[in-house]
Amino acid sequence: MQRLLGLAFTLILLTNSASAQKIITGKIVDAQTLEPLAAAHIIIKDTYKGTIANADGEFTLRVDTFPSTIVVRYLGYQTKEIELSANHEGPIDFLMEEAFLEMQEITVTGEDPAISIMKEVIRRKQIWRENLQNYTVDAYSRQQLRTDTSIVSITESISQAYWDKELGNREVLKSRRQTANIEGSDNFAGVSYLPNFYDDNLDIVEFDVVGITHPNALKFYNFELVDFSKIDDKVIFEIEVTSKRKLQPLFEGTIYVQDEDYALISVRLKPNSVIVFPPPIQDFNMYYEQQFSNFGGEFWLPVDFRMEGTIEVGVPGLRFPPIGFKQVSKLNDYLVNTELPDSIFTDSDWFKIDSTTINKTDSLFTATVDVVPLSKVELEAYDTLDSTATLEKAFRPKGFLTRFIDMDDDDSDSDVTIRVETSSDGTQTTYRERKEPSAFERLRQNTSIDARFNRVDAIYAGFEHQKRYMDRRLRSRLRLGYSLGYEEVSHGVDVSWWPLKKTRRLALTAGYDFKTETRYNSELFNKEILSTMPLFGYSDYFDYYRVEGVFLGGAYALKGYNRRLNARFKYEEHSSIDYKTSYDLFGSSFVQRFNPAVQEGTLSSISVSYESGEGAEAWGVIGADNIKLSVEQSLKAIGSDWNFTQFNIDIYRRYSTFYQRRFIPNSLDIRINAGTFIGELPVQKNGAIDAALGYFTPFGAFRSKRYVPYEGASFAAIHAEHNFRSTPFEFLGIPNAAKSGISLITFGGIGQTWLPEKQKQFFLSNLGYLPSNAETPHAEVGVSISNIFSLFRIDLAYRIDEPGFYPGVALSRLF
């Protein structure tokens, strides 16, 4: 009987609680003007539960127990409370009365009062922050993309956010909704990546910014008391914030500090002029607003986050309309210093999706969580934006370069069919189905052209065709081409297989080639890129020979970022090419050098290489972080005519130096390129230290050595350049220096090559002279101005070992 009574009592309590839960709606306005008070803070008294008003002053709030007292706070107004009973029906409106404060005009004769105020804010923050270990909070976020006239898209999310003093932020997405022109997978609304302006350091679009309550904030910021306001009987200090250090990324704007508690209650800040981006970003103008509350307790926690501004993107000849962005996020129902689930922090992913609730959009958005109501304009956007209102249409660029860009939307493609299905509950689902390509289209997609020009091939024309089988785990490639110079056909075939069913990490390859190869290797340039040199009457970069042989190899992608291990066995016949042409498009009198003979014979070798990173192929446009190590072993015991072991290393590294809090700090870029051997190395296996391509002087090549690289059986070079970015020009006070992206770069390099005596004798007997080599160190220094018209850099190199100046042009170092 007691158990039955206990069960009945429990059911009664549950029933009462469920029936008591209500969604309260209302509006907050100025009592005199009836103007809505956007972002007014609404809380349930003595709890961490609350919300904020939308742009129209409207709010919704879920109340679980009654009676409850609803409290509304707004800067410059008297706090207002309304007690609600379980019988309450209908919306509640708050008519807010201004809180008038009569004080004398501020006169500062010594240290500004804001200095002592902020010292106390920082001191008290350090005390309560020490006791704050973690929290979890319900979050709602809404993002808008807009043009200057209308909303383009809306995305919303409901999530659970977590913060731990040692482990950082995590977020679990519970549900999301968006306008019909946005896919759910493109909905990135959330809060875990948003700043908390009470933090010591804040990540603002990859800038590491010192916070306004950092222990050393007074070294970075000027604080000036400009006005007073009031909330109830408490004075609010209005403090203007400006940057004290003009080369550091910092904030500027206004903050509001509550007297007695010496706590931030609101901020309105924007990044200072240092927080700019290189082209193609032309303008970044963003404001951040945030409110704080202690909810009657010890800790001052974020109530919301609001951001609004525009981004302008463009390059000469291509300009996009200004992209407007607006976000409002609300944090509600904090649990402070509680036990957080271990699973939240088990991996480094800061953002996860709750698969059990992600599709329950309606129930979560209308009943479970307090969302910020949509404004009238936003409601209209939800009604009018359909799947045809794409972002591409809204932000269609202008300029003469648009003719080279395919701006057609996917829906208008001739090979796409749109099919709409309606389910039993009336839900419509849109499917986009791409038509099967024709046989000719498949042939075109799987075939690439191979064309080049040099003094040996003259015009080389060919193609490569590939085909995949077995769910794309087997690939065959066929190559065929013809040289009009020495009148030879090149051809080859290979087959690659990915044998592991659950991964593509392992690949096995076998094949045959009969082709033209370069006599010395360059890690910076290839034959196709260098076609323009002899075609326009300049010296050919490479020497060439013929290779016919078979190969068998494998590659394995190691865990981690872009790391690969390769192994290959090859058996080749090497032969010389006795041909060269001096033809060029302009009919100049320049005579190309002879193509030297190679040491003909059979090469049978095994090679192993390791590669990691990316960026080396970008010629210094972006920072590279690469390493390539290789070893090749040739043995007469396996059919080779030579016994040798060859070692090569090519390393690119970037190191941040000064102003590391910036999105792109000052940086030092280094390239180390070296190789050597043991045994008897044939001349066609030599390495090279790269030279500039005439007046084109990319990073990684000697800028004061033109057209032909230094060749050596052994070689070593180091190239370095330091990018000061725009900071020297900013220091000189040049207007818009940071925004333009103009950069000052200093550079230098030194290198040397070595030819063994047997190779020297071979060259002298066949050529009568030695090829280009650096028997004594080649050394240079120089200076560059980068990001001219967002595209180019101008280099001026000075050669130290043989004095002279060498101007050049290269692509801008953008990142």
Side-chain angles (χ1 to χ4, degrees), residues 722-737:
H722 189 274
N723 193 341
F724 291 94
R725 308 292 175 188
S726 60
T727 51
F729 306 105
E730 294 175 55
F731 183 78
L732 294 173
I734 297 176
N736 296 319

Side-chain angles (χ1 to χ4, degrees), residues 108-143:
V108 179
T109 57
E111 181 181 78
D112 195 288
I115 303 299
S116 58
I117 293 171
M118 290 308 298
K119 285 180 179 178
E120 186 63 14
V121 170
I122 293 169
R123 187 188 72 83
R124 295 200 183 192
K125 168 215 169 168
Q126 291 175 320
I127 294 173
W128 62 258
R129 265 293 178 104
E130 182 65 26
N131 298 326
L132 182 62
Q133 302 302 316
N134 63 54
Y135 61 72
T136 178
V137 62
D138 293 334
Y140 165 79
S141 292
R142 180 161 71 242
Q143 295 176 344

Side-chain angles (χ1 to χ4, degrees), residues 15-77:
T15 304
N16 286 341
S17 176
S19 63
Q21 185 184 94
K22 289 185 177 181
I23 300 295
I24 302 299
T25 63
K27 191 169 185 177
I28 303 166
V29 298
D30 182 290
Q32 301 300 319
T33 66
L34 300 183
E35 289 292 320
L37 300 182
H41 185 209
I42 308 104
I43 63 171
I44 302 174
K45 192 173 184 178
D46 299 326
T47 75
Y48 282 107
K49 296 181 178 181
T51 188
I52 60 172
N54 69 4
D56 298 327
E58 300 166 340
F59 72 92
T60 63
L61 181 65
R62 178 170 52 91
V63 180
D64 296 327
T65 59
F66 291 92
S68 287
T69 301
I70 309 301
V71 181
V72 175
R73 290 165 54 92
Y74 196 79
L75 186 64
Y77 288 78

Side-chain angles (χ1 to χ4, degrees), residues 144-146 150-155 178-181 374-386 389:
Q144 284 184 22
L145 287 179
R146 59 182 302 124
S150 62
I151 294 175
V152 174
S153 71
I154 300 175
T155 55
Q178 53 279 325
T179 47
N181 59 338
L374 296 167
S375 66
K376 294 177 181 178
V377 176
E378 290 168 327
L379 286 170
E380 183 180 350
Y382 261 107
D383 290 337
T384 57
L385 290 173
D386 58 24

Side-chain angles (χ1 to χ4, degrees), residues 687-707:
I689 299 176
D690 287 301
L693 305 183
Y695 288 92
F696 179 63
T697 52
F699 174 69
F702 277 128
R703 294 178 169 95
S704 56
K705 175 73 170 77
R706 301 294 169 89
Y707 303 116

